[in-house]
Amino acid sequence: MKRALISDIHGNLEALNAVLDDIRQQGISEIYCLGDVIGYGPNPVECLDMVRRKCAMCLLGNHDQAALFDPEGFNPVAFRAILWTRDQIDNSSGGAAAVNERWDFLGELPRTHVEPNRLYVHGSPRDPTNEYVFPEDVYNQRKMENLFERVEQFSFQGHTHIPGVFTPSLEFFGPDECDHEYRFGDEKALFNVGSVGQPRDGDPRSCYVILTDESIVFRRVEYDTEVTAKKIYDTPQLDNMLGDRLRDGR
């Protein structure tokens, strides 16, 4: 088995295209998306259509959920972006039938996907859509123990945009600290696959992972951040900081 896991595209078409191209070059045909196809970025409709065509499985992210319902806990920048995103989908191309298909796709996204020994979520094993699991949570023993109790062996997630591996011994390893590959053993582990469209670990390159039966490999892919940033700057409803942060991966 060889599969690509992507997450947190956030309407960044340039990043998504670059990652999909890299996935093809790796000879991988099966792609799972762990949510947040939309939100923040300037091409929500195009990213939605691409994920619908290319991904064998896609989960509901909190921004996908916010487009469907009232956003909860969103800061003003994210709130304005999701309102603009709704409008883009409502007025997208293809007529009423195509618009309805896009909304139906979002509305039918599952919150979890389960396979033997593997749980796929957007947020966490405890709250699949909304809970963050940050690297500093390794200092919160009660939280981490609760999360690991809910995992048969491995959990794959996104949401924080920070890739890495959590172990039951309360350690977090970023991709650089495990030489970009973590080989599976008998021990449980939580894996954050990083973000395609808005990395927040100080590396502006898109991040995704390749999953096999033996290991998980973290991949970084360059794309033209300036093209995406300019689209954001040219859209009054999207705050300029959403473009600025792409350059620094923050």
Side-chain angles (χ1 to χ4, degrees):
M1 185 274 290
K2 196 175 184 181
R3 173 185 297 153
L5 305 184
I6 64 176
S7 190
D8 297 277
I9 299 162
H10 284 295
N12 187 334
L13 184 62
E14 287 71 35
L16 178 58
N17 280 332
V19 165
L20 291 176
D21 186 57
D22 192 76
I23 291 171
R24 285 192 296 270
Q25 292 177 35
Q26 304 305 310
I28 300 171
S29 58
E30 186 174 56
I31 306 171
Y32 281 9
C33 177
L34 305 187
D36 274 2
V37 179
I38 58 177
Y40 295 135
N43 291 106
V45 175
E46 293 86 348
C47 289
L48 267 178
D49 289 348
M50 188 74 73
V51 167
R52 289 169 62 201
R53 291 196 303 269
K54 298 293 185 179
C55 292
M57 189 280 296
C58 184
L59 298 177
L60 181 75
N62 62 307
H63 283 255
D64 308 319
Q65 178 177 262
L68 292 162
F69 308 105
D70 290 333
E72 293 184 8
F74 274 37
N75 63 50
V77 171
F79 185 82
R80 287 193 297 271
I82 209 66
L83 293 183
W84 176 82
T85 296
R86 285 179 182 173
D87 186 66
Q88 294 301 295
I89 298 172
D90 277 338
N91 295 285
S92 55
S93 62
V99 171
N100 288 337
E101 285 179 3
R102 293 179 180 115
W103 281 120
D104 288 345
F105 172 77
L106 285 172
E108 294 168 3
L109 292 178
R111 296 177 184 273
T112 63
H113 180 74
V114 180
E115 297 173 351
N117 296 326
R118 293 176 178 176
L119 171 66
Y120 301 86
V121 296
H122 177 68
S124 84
R126 184 166 57 181
D127 182 343
T129 304
N130 293 298
E131 183 177 32
Y132 292 94
V133 186
F134 287 108
E136 56 267 29
D137 284 328
V138 295
Y139 302 109
N140 186 340
Q141 183 176 353
R142 180 174 295 181
K143 175 178 179 177
M144 296 307 298
E145 288 179 348
N146 187 283
L147 295 178
F148 275 106
E149 286 173 359
R150 298 166 185 265
V151 177
E152 187 174 355
Q153 187 169 19
F154 302 132
S155 174
F156 304 93
Q157 55 212 52
H159 198 31
T160 67
H161 304 203
I162 302 172
V165 184
F166 296 88
T167 70
S169 53
L170 301 183
E171 293 179 293
F172 175 82
F173 299 101
D176 292 341
E177 296 173 291
C178 59
D179 199 25
H180 301 273
E181 181 175 13
Y182 186 92
R183 298 196 66 81
F184 301 141
D186 295 331
E187 185 178 62
K188 291 183 178 183
L190 312 180
F191 301 95
N192 193 298
V193 306
S195 172
V196 168
Q198 196 186 93
R200 293 181 186 168
D201 62 338
D203 186 338
R205 295 176 298 171
S206 294
C207 186
Y208 78 98
V209 304
I210 296 173
L211 176 64
T212 68
D213 292 328
E214 295 80 28
S215 72
I216 187 170
V217 177
F218 294 90
R219 298 278 301 176
R220 301 306 291 238
V221 181
E222 291 187 1
Y223 74 97
D224 195 337
T225 58
E226 295 304 317
V227 172
T228 309
K230 186 178 187 305
K231 290 181 182 179
I232 292 172
Y233 300 151
D234 291 343
T235 305
Q237 296 89 339
L238 299 179
D239 196 285
N240 284 352
M241 67 86 67
L242 296 173
D244 296 341
R245 72 191 312 176
L246 298 179
R247 297 189 182 97
D248 302 319
R250 59 179 175 81

